[in-house]
Each structure stands twice: as structure tokens, then as C-alpha cells.
Amino acid sequence: MSPPDYEYAPLRIPPNTDTATAHAQLAIQAEFSGWELAKLRLFADGTRQVLLRRRRTHPLQPGLST
């Protein structure tokens, strides 16, 4: 069994964004788009660099017709 394939989305949150707003933005992405937090980097200037991931959905393969 192979590990699941993921797709990634980088996100940059500016330094003037407060923690509650950043949390709400990430929660909305998780709730409605299926993203989860893969990595978060906080820089000295307050900028947050976020890497979101979600499982890649494979299109259904056509079945055999009877």
C-alpha cells in the first residue's frame, strides 16, 4: 500500500495580521476546502509562512459495462 498523494498550497500571512484573524483564515480553509496545516514558519518581522496540504482526489476510473 503506497502512502497517500498530497497536493500542497503555500500561503503567506502578512505581519500586520493578528493571531485570531490568521487562525480564522486557516480554519475556513480547513473546513470548506479540506486543507490541513503541514508546516508553519513564523519570522522575526511577524510574517507567517504556511504550507497547507490535502489528499489528492483521483478521478474515478470508468468501470466495465455489462
Side-chain angles (χ1 to χ4, degrees):
M1 185 169 168
S2 64
D5 293 331
Y6 289 98
E7 58 182 320
Y8 293 89
L11 180 65
R12 182 185 164 279
I13 300 176
N16 60 350
T17 305
D18 62 276
T19 303
T21 303
H23 180 268
Q25 183 178 4
L26 294 174
I28 289 170
Q29 291 295 325
E31 181 71 25
F32 297 107
S33 299
W35 293 102
E36 63 183 31
L37 182 63
K39 187 174 184 178
L40 173 67
R41 292 179 64 190
L42 179 61
F43 293 94
D45 68 349
T47 300
R48 294 172 184 90
Q49 184 178 350
V50 179
L51 185 61
L52 302 174
R53 74 177 186 179
R54 67 179 170 190
R55 289 180 190 255
R56 189 177 307 246
T57 56
H58 297 288
L60 296 176
Q61 294 181 356
L64 298 174
S65 59
T66 56

